[in-house]
């Protein structure tokens, strides 16, 4: 008996495909539900919070770094070449403490003038005068005078902004100037320095002399702490600046050109002689330490006597000229022989102490005070022999209104002929607003020769 043999069940597919070799890293993507708007918003929120946290952290670090740098800068000078710090009082001490003498390069300098600056403006009429050793001072006649001569003369005086001149009849001059001596420019001398371009005259053929106005200085759009003063606006006193060291207001100052500031010599004593520490903040009514101008030259009068505060004047040169505007504008330097009467009205401005033992004012202050005659101020009951020819006094003998600490170097100004003139620089006094102890100011008129010479030698 035979038994039929059934074929075994085959597991081989009818249409075999090539075997798939598993490859590492390749996986089937899991099936997930699509993200909802809520999930996306949550993710964006996390990213924003992370970014915000990073920004805040960087801000904190930057602020901390700034204050740490300010603290270090207030105590030490960094020598870049030798990569080391030295105490700040060793900078500008006359000894090289850094490699290559870095610490003695950017320092306050001293300059003593022993020559006569050959060009000046005389009297309230701003009559142009020139000087030569043989002939002395002579008023310049209007004969042959041109606009080019005006530009040349103003450039010599340190001004180049809107120079202009007028003719003043000789018979209207003060008695001491009516009879000369006179001089006049020679033909074809428009670019020659004015004092070298003239020839002496007994009389002016034109019957008039040259009056010079070299800029729009001392003009404001409209029209005290200073102890007993009132609030002021920088637009009315646009020459007022704050001299700051390490971000701290130290002294006041006055713009006398687009690049030069007049202040007091005593502002640069002790460890305040290193230039890179200083900034000049202009155009601000409220005290601020941001946006100040860098300084590349500070020159102290070489005759300055700290023991007597005599010749207490200095000049600062800004690294670049300021932009003129309603809140930034130079004050006029006074002419020689300004002849201000005792009791003439003055204005002193600044951010100084509000009282003798007080603090610096956050906003600019002004005070109207009268000039005090030299005889009265140097009398035994006031300051006696402490007052020199380079000083003037202003204020009230009964006290109450006065400049104070922090006002040093700032302006004492007088308004005449539609302009404000820098008559004095805040210098010293006994206390603030004390009876029979008025403020003492450096007399700018006596320092004109020094100011003009320094500006000419440091163009």
């Amino acid at each position: 008996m035979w038994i039929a043999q059934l074929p075994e069940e085959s597991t081989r597919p009818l249409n075999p495909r090539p075997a798939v070799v598993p490859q590492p890293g390749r996986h089937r993507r899991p099936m997930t539900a699509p993200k909802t708007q809520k999930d996306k918003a949550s993710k964006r929120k996390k990213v924003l919070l992370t970014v915000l946290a990073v920004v805040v952290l960087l801000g904190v670090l930057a602020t901390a770094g700034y204050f740490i740098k300010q603290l270090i800068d207030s105590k030490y000078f960094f020598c870049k070449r030798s990569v080391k710090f030295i105490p700040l009082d060793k900078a500008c001490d006359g000894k090289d403490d850094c490699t290559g003498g870095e610490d003695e390069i950017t320092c306050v300098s001293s300059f003593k003038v022993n020559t006569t600056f050959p060009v000046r403006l005389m009297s309230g009429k701003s009559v142009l005068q020139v000087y030569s050793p043989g002939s002395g001072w002579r008023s310049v006649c209007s004969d042959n005078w041109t606009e080019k001569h005006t530009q040349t003369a103003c450039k010599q005086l340190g001004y180049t902004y809107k120079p202009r001149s007028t003719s003043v009849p000789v018979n209207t001059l003060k008695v001491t100037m009516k009879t000369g001596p006179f001089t006049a420019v020679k033909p074809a001398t428009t670019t020659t320095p004015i004092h070298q371009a003239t020839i002496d005259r007994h009389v002016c053929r034109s019957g008039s002399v040259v009056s010079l106005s070299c800029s729009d200085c001392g003009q404001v759009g409209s029209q005290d702490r200073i102890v007993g003063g009132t609030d002021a606006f920088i637009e009315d006193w646009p020459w007022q600046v704050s001299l700051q060291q390490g971000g701290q207001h130290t002294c006041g100052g006055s713009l006398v050109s687009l690049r030069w500031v007049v202040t007091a010599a005593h502002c640069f004593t002790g460890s305040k002689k290193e230039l890179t520490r200083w900034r000049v903040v202009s155009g601000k009514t409220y005290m601020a330490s941001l946006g100040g101008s860098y300084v590349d030259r500070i020159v102290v009068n070489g005759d300055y006597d700290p023991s007597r505060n005599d010749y207490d004047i200095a000049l600062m040169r800004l690294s670049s000229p300021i932009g003129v505007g309603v809140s930034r504008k130079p004050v006029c330097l006074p002419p020689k022989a300004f002849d201000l009467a005792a009791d003439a009205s003055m204005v002193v401005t600044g951010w100084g102490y509000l009282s003798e033992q007080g603090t610096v004012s956050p906003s600019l202050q002004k005070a109207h005070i009268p000039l005090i005659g030299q005889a009265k101020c140097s009398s035994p009951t006031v300051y006696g022999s402490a007052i020199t020819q380079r000083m003037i006094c202003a204020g009230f003998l009964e006290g109450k209104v006065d400049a104070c600490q922090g006002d040093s170097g700032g302006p004492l100004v007088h308004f005449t002929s539609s302009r404000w003139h820098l008559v004095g620089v805040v210098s010293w006094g006994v206390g603030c607003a004390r009876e029979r102890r008025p403020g003492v100011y450096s007399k700018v008129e006596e320092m004109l020769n020094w100011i003009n010479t320094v500006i000419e030698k440091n163009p």
Side-chain angles (χ1 to χ4, degrees), residues 244-301:
Q244 301 187 4
Q245 192 182 47
Q248 297 295 315
H249 172 78
T250 303
C251 278
S254 306
L255 288 166
V256 292
S257 74
L258 304 187
R259 203 173 172 187
W260 286 95
V261 171
V262 168
T263 186
H266 76 258
C267 292
F268 307 104
T269 56
S271 61
K272 299 174 182 176
K273 293 183 171 65
E274 214 281 311
L275 301 191
T276 62
R277 297 294 190 282
W278 288 97
R279 298 289 184 274
V280 174
V281 178
S282 59
K284 306 288 185 184
T285 294
Y286 296 95
M287 182 57 62
S289 58
L290 299 177
S293 299
Y294 289 86
V295 175
D296 63 12
R297 190 69 55 88
I298 298 176
V299 186
V300 169
N301 194 307

Side-chain angles (χ1 to χ4, degrees), residues 25-355:
R26 293 189 64 183
H27 303 284
R28 178 175 291 182
R29 184 177 296 168
M31 296 295 288
T32 57
K35 290 186 178 180
T36 64
Q37 287 296 111
K38 188 175 181 180
D39 293 333
K40 291 179 180 178
S42 177
K43 187 174 182 180
R44 282 198 299 268
K45 187 176 181 181
K46 288 180 180 177
V47 171
L48 286 173
L49 286 173
T50 302
V51 171
L52 184 61
V54 171
V55 170
V56 170
L57 179 61
L58 290 175
V60 170
L61 290 175
T63 303
Y66 172 79
F67 284 109
I68 291 172
K69 183 180 184 301
Q70 291 292 98
L71 181 62
I72 293 173
D73 285 349
S74 68
K75 303 289 184 182
Y76 299 96
F77 177 87
F78 180 63
C79 306
K80 294 178 182 176
R81 293 184 190 176
S82 45
V83 194
K84 68 176 183 178
F85 289 95
I86 62 170
L88 190 56
D89 57 4
K90 286 193 173 184
C92 300
D93 64 351
K95 299 177 183 178
D96 292 348
D97 297 293
C98 296
T99 301
E102 280 181 75
D103 56 315
E104 299 299 321
I105 296 174
T106 55
C107 300
V108 171
S109 60
S110 176
F111 178 75
K112 184 181 292 190
V113 64
N114 53 11
T115 57
T116 300
F117 194 77
V119 182
R120 73 181 184 186
L121 302 181
M122 185 71 173
S123 80
K125 294 183 182 291
S126 296
V127 174
L128 177 63
Q129 293 190 327
V130 295
Y131 176 85
S132 67
S135 304
W137 286 105
R138 295 151 293 157
S139 299
V140 179
C141 299
S142 297
D143 311 1
N144 303 320
W145 189 262
T146 67
E147 186 179 341
K148 287 284 187 182
H149 288 110
T150 297
Q151 294 172 359
T152 300
C154 283
K155 188 175 181 181
Q156 282 185 262
L157 288 167
Y159 296 100
T160 56
Y161 190 72
K162 294 184 178 179
R164 55 193 180 278
S165 62
T166 57
S167 296
V168 175
V170 172
N171 60 12
T172 64
L173 300 177
K174 58 196 320 186
V175 175
T176 55
M177 297 174 65
K178 283 183 178 180
T179 56
F182 299 106
T183 190
V185 292
K186 294 176 285 190
T189 57
T190 54
T191 58
T192 306
I194 294 302
H195 64 288
Q196 297 174 356
T198 58
I199 184 168
D200 290 355
R201 293 272 173 85
H202 291 295
V203 295
C204 293
R205 294 171 184 169
S206 60
S208 61
V209 292
V210 176
S211 173
L212 215 55
S213 173
C214 292
S215 78
D216 65 346
C217 64
Q219 296 178 328
V220 292
S222 62
Q223 307 252 91
D224 278 311
R225 186 119 347 222
I226 306 294
V227 179
T230 57
D231 289 341
F233 297 98
I234 196 65
E235 291 81 6
D236 294 326
W237 319 100
W239 42 84
Q240 173 81 57
V241 297
S242 167
L243 311 187
Q244 301 187 4
Q245 192 182 47
Q248 297 295 315
H249 172 78
T250 303
C251 278
S254 306
L255 288 166
V256 292
S257 74
L258 304 187
R259 203 173 172 187
W260 286 95
V261 171
V262 168
T263 186
H266 76 258
C267 292
F268 307 104
T269 56
S271 61
K272 299 174 182 176
K273 293 183 171 65
E274 214 281 311
L275 301 191
T276 62
R277 297 294 190 282
W278 288 97
R279 298 289 184 274
V280 174
V281 178
S282 59
K284 306 288 185 184
T285 294
Y286 296 95
M287 182 57 62
S289 58
L290 299 177
S293 299
Y294 289 86
V295 175
D296 63 12
R297 190 69 55 88
I298 298 176
V299 186
V300 169
N301 194 307
D303 290 310
Y304 170 56
D305 181 355
S307 64
R308 297 196 66 191
N309 293 304
D310 204 6
Y311 294 92
D312 187 12
I313 197 165
L315 280 164
M316 301 180 83
R317 189 178 71 178
L318 308 182
S319 298
S320 58
I322 55 122
V324 172
V326 292
S327 60
R328 292 183 180 90
K329 188 175 289 187
V331 66
C332 300
L333 289 171
K336 189 70 176 173
F338 206 26
D339 292 339
L340 291 172
D343 298 326
S345 178
M346 304 282 156
V347 176
V348 59
T349 53
W351 291 274
Y353 285 18
L354 305 180
S355 61

Side-chain angles (χ1 to χ4, degrees), residues 382-394:
V382 186
Y383 284 126
S385 60
I387 302 300
T388 73
Q389 188 180 342
R390 274 73 53 187
M391 301 174 191
I392 57 174
C393 302

